[in-house]
Amino acid sequence: MLQEKIIETFLESKRFGGLPIALIFPNEYAVAVANLGFNASYRAFEKAGFDCERFIYSDGKIRSVSGNKNILDFKVWAFSLSFELDVMNVFEIFSKTGVEPLAKMRKGKPFVIFGGAMTFFNPNSFWHIADTIFHGEIEGNQEMLFTLHETIEKGLNWSETLSILNDFENVSVPPLGGKNVKLSKIRDLGDSFADSVMLSDSGAFGKTYLVEIERGCIHNCAFCVASKIYSVVRFMSLNEIERRISYALEYTDKVGLVGSSVSDHPELHELLEWLKGRVRRLSVSSLRLDAINAELIGTLNSLGDREITLAPEAGTQKMRDLLKKKINDEDIENALHEVKKAGLKRVKMYFIYGLPGEEQEDLDGIVEIAARTKAYGIIPYVSINPLIPKPSTPFESIEMRAADDLRKRERYLQSNLGKIGVKSKFESVRLSRIQWIISTADKELSLILANSQDRFGSLKKIEKKWKSDPSWKYINNSWKESVFGDLKISKEG
Ligand code: SF4
């Protein structure tokens, strides 16, 4: 049982005596504890006066993390939703508990709230089961959480609560029909809630304290939804990072720096110097290929981060230009040279295939980069994903390549990488196509999924004639000048 295995350390005192709320992460515990969106939601609800009981979805069951609570006893359910495929688990949770999924039929019993990355770009796939959807960064939604707390405490009924929450510009209230909404954002990452509240050896990164030191990304690669929804780029100050890590070091000596592109942090060098002698094991979520050098690799190595990932993303310049990746062959060559100079014997490499206009030579380019890596005496482990044209990106209106087409390309790559002795891992074509459908869903999809007994079967039928129809445009992802002032604004370029 879950409760017998998990030992947790909380970095903040648990709130008791607040209004009980079920905070649900519809995926495994290991993923939940390492998900900073989930940690931030926990912190946000507790600060607003709620007493969060965490639930996860594991082995086909909804489980309370503390092990002794029944979700049916909670009057408010808050889902933290980061990944498209987790939407399927949300529907499973309603089926397994026997709770009515459709908000208009359920009438607030329980009251169901959604937040998390999916609400930034397209919540249509779960639209009709939500009473309320918070759009954007949870730290910017505190006033609304206090209001929610007040409405529950005062015992206001479902309709009254919906009507009060509908006044917030960052909130959708589907039973009232929806409206245009804005993403909430914070200006200063010093106000961020996105660092670990809970530590556990059972987390995806072990007992590692994770802190988001950068939000948004200056590079704006065309395929990357994160750079669009988290725009404008913001960096946490060195002082603030040091303050947070110093506190966490009382509980663990493993630290993870999280961000869209951590190597862009203007004070990364100083931070790494400060970490020397303080942490036993550092991990860094992402480094730009063109920022890698032997000194940086050496420093990371000395701090226990022995795994370097390079993301050329495509095999030819034509395809990298299409992806607006802004790196060239020379950058790749330099990175390999630096990896070799640092004495590393293996790297992970990320590529995307199935791009518009992609030809055989573009696939051959991927194999060629893997071969060049081997020629440097470095073993590449290649991870390859099909392009999923996501909302908010320049690809949002194009069709994802058909499954047969993608599988043909996958076989070609797999066989040619195999011929040069390179191991490759491909994201499932079927699940990637489902991600595409969910990420580009219209609101009708939530009704189909709510009324279906065989949801994957329903998606399979839909898939054949699926067309991306940008019906998520009620979300305004533009920044508010009053919030960001003179911060550097990243534009699609
Ligand atoms: S560098 Fe990474 S995080 Fe930044 S836009 Fe490109 S893919 Fe996204």
Side-chain angles (χ1 to χ4, degrees):
M1 291 294 289
L2 186 71
Q3 65 270 30
E4 287 162 9
K5 285 193 219 151
I6 290 176
I7 298 170
E8 294 186 307
T9 307
F10 273 78
L11 272 62
E12 285 173 21
S13 327
K14 172 93 187 80
R15 184 185 185 102
F16 292 105
L19 278 174
I21 189 169
L23 179 61
I24 309 163
F25 191 82
N27 204 319
E28 300 283 336
Y29 175 82
V31 187
V33 80
N35 183 287
L36 288 185
F38 184 61
N39 280 265
S41 301
Y42 177 90
R43 193 173 264 128
F45 278 106
E46 292 264 326
K47 278 181 190 292
F50 291 92
D51 179 1
C52 292
E53 179 65 28
R54 291 162 299 143
F55 287 85
I56 49 106
Y57 187 72
S58 171
D59 298 330
K61 291 194 178 121
I62 178 86
R63 297 165 189 267
S64 128
V65 174
S66 71
N68 55 11
K69 295 283 167 60
N70 184 338
I71 196 166
L72 294 174
D73 293 334
F74 288 80
K75 292 184 178 148
V76 186
W77 292 10
F79 283 93
S80 174
L81 201 47
S82 292
F83 313 112
E84 285 88 348
L85 293 176
D86 288 356
V87 170
M88 303 302 278
N89 293 341
V90 170
F91 283 95
E92 283 297 306
I93 289 169
F94 280 92
S95 289
K96 298 241 157 96
T97 52
V99 169
E100 167 61 50
L102 295 175
K104 278 190 177 167
M105 310 278 283
R106 200 176 57 241
K107 295 194 185 309
K109 292 185 175 153
F111 193 88
V112 175
I113 304 163
F114 282 88
M118 284 214 60
T119 69
F120 289 57
F121 60 92
N122 186 10
N124 285 346
S125 60
F126 48 92
W127 180 264
H128 285 292
I129 58 174
D131 290 300
T132 298
I133 300 169
F134 307 160
H135 298 272
E137 298 170 2
I138 190 84
E139 302 93 338
N141 268 319
Q142 275 306 92
E143 193 192 333
M144 188 269 307
L145 291 187
F146 280 113
T147 304
L148 174 67
H149 184 278
E150 205 181 318
T151 60
I152 297 169
E153 206 169 42
K154 282 185 180 163
L156 298 190
N157 67 31
W158 180 59
S159 312
E160 289 165 332
T161 304
L162 294 182
S163 135
I164 288 170
L165 295 179
N166 202 31
D167 284 342
F168 286 88
E169 63 174 0
N170 314 118
V171 173
S172 287
V173 179
L176 299 185
K179 62 183 196 294
N180 289 335
V181 290
K182 281 185 172 169
L183 292 186
S184 74
K185 299 198 177 185
I186 49 167
R187 180 189 163 94
D188 184 353
L189 270 203
D191 298 329
S192 155
F193 296 165
D195 60 331
S196 300
V197 185
M198 54 207 94
L199 303 174
S200 170
D201 284 326
S202 307
F205 303 106
K207 196 177 172 185
T208 298
Y209 169 75
L210 301 167
V211 55
E212 182 189 36
I213 65 166
E214 179 216 11
R215 193 174 289 179
C217 181
I218 56 175
H219 300 289
N220 252 323
C221 302
F223 61 91
C224 175
V225 73
S227 63
K228 312 295 183 286
I229 61 178
Y230 295 115
S231 173
V232 176
V233 64
R234 287 145 286 166
F235 299 103
M236 188 179 276
S237 72
L238 181 61
N239 278 347
E240 179 64 13
I241 302 170
E242 289 177 1
R243 186 188 70 75
R244 292 190 188 210
I245 292 179
S246 297
Y247 179 68
L249 287 175
E250 291 175 27
Y251 302 91
T252 183
D253 53 8
K254 295 185 201 159
V255 169
L257 305 178
V258 178
S260 307
S261 179
V262 166
S263 46
D264 292 327
H265 196 289
E267 294 169 302
L268 182 65
H269 177 75
E270 292 82 348
L271 174 59
L272 294 178
E273 286 301 312
W274 180 83
L275 287 168
K276 282 180 184 168
R278 287 187 164 86
V279 300
R280 185 168 62 84
R281 178 126 202 213
L282 179 77
S283 52
V284 173
S285 68
S286 55
L287 297 171
R288 277 274 297 188
L289 181 147
D290 49 0
I292 282 174
N293 57 55
E295 191 194 340
L296 177 61
I297 298 171
T299 305
L300 292 173
N301 245 308
S302 70
L303 287 163
D305 190 355
R306 303 191 204 293
E307 195 163 76
I308 288 291
T309 301
L310 303 180
E313 307 292 7
T316 58
Q317 197 57 44
K318 184 181 81 178
M319 289 293 114
R320 284 193 293 274
D321 288 346
L322 178 76
L323 294 174
K324 298 198 187 305
K325 189 63 194 175
K326 298 180 204 128
I327 55 166
N328 56 34
D329 276 332
E330 203 183 322
D331 295 321
I332 297 171
E333 209 62 45
N334 283 343
L336 292 173
H337 179 75
E338 295 294 321
V339 170
K340 184 183 164 93
K341 198 163 128 193
L344 288 198
K345 294 277 176 268
R346 60 191 68 197
V347 288
K348 270 196 197 167
M349 297 189 120
Y350 285 137
F351 292 96
I352 301 173
Y353 74 107
L355 308 177
E358 181 182 83
E359 294 172 303
Q360 187 176 321
E361 65 181 37
D362 302 309
L363 301 178
D364 291 338
I366 294 176
V367 180
E368 201 264 321
I369 291 173
R372 258 195 282 161
T373 307
K374 279 192 82 182
Y376 271 92
I378 303 163
I379 302 168
Y381 289 95
V382 177
S383 176
I384 312 187
N385 296 339
L387 176 74
I388 303 175
K390 296 234 177 156
S392 302
T393 74
F395 294 127
E396 66 179 7
S397 299
I398 67 162
E399 304 283 307
M400 186 169 174
R401 281 189 185 268
D404 289 351
D405 178 344
L406 288 170
R407 289 203 179 98
K408 212 166 109 195
R409 287 163 199 270
E410 179 185 313
R411 280 195 298 274
Y412 182 83
L413 281 167
Q414 205 163 31
S415 142
N416 284 288
L417 286 165
K419 280 180 197 157
I420 59 165
V422 169
K423 283 191 184 150
S424 54
K425 188 167 152 268
F426 286 79
E427 181 76 10
S428 149
V429 166
R430 177 171 161 263
L431 294 180
S432 299
R433 295 262 312 165
I434 289 176
Q435 274 191 60
W436 176 56
I437 293 171
I438 290 174
S439 72
T440 57
D442 55 18
K443 292 170 184 167
E444 176 75 17
L445 186 69
S446 64
L447 291 176
I448 294 171
L449 293 175
N451 292 320
S452 171
Q453 296 302 314
D454 172 16
R455 292 183 196 91
F456 280 98
S458 300
L459 285 173
K460 200 169 177 187
K461 280 187 207 146
I462 291 169
E463 189 190 344
K464 295 202 173 76
K465 48 183 190 319
W466 188 256
K467 291 234 180 305
S468 170
D469 167 20
S471 58
W472 50 80
K473 295 289 187 183
Y474 53 90
I475 303 171
N476 178 355
N477 186 18
S478 64
W479 47 85
K480 286 186 273 180
E481 294 296 334
S482 57
V483 176
F484 290 114
D486 57 359
L487 278 184
K488 181 173 163 41
I489 289 169
S490 55
K491 293 186 187 297
E492 283 179 24

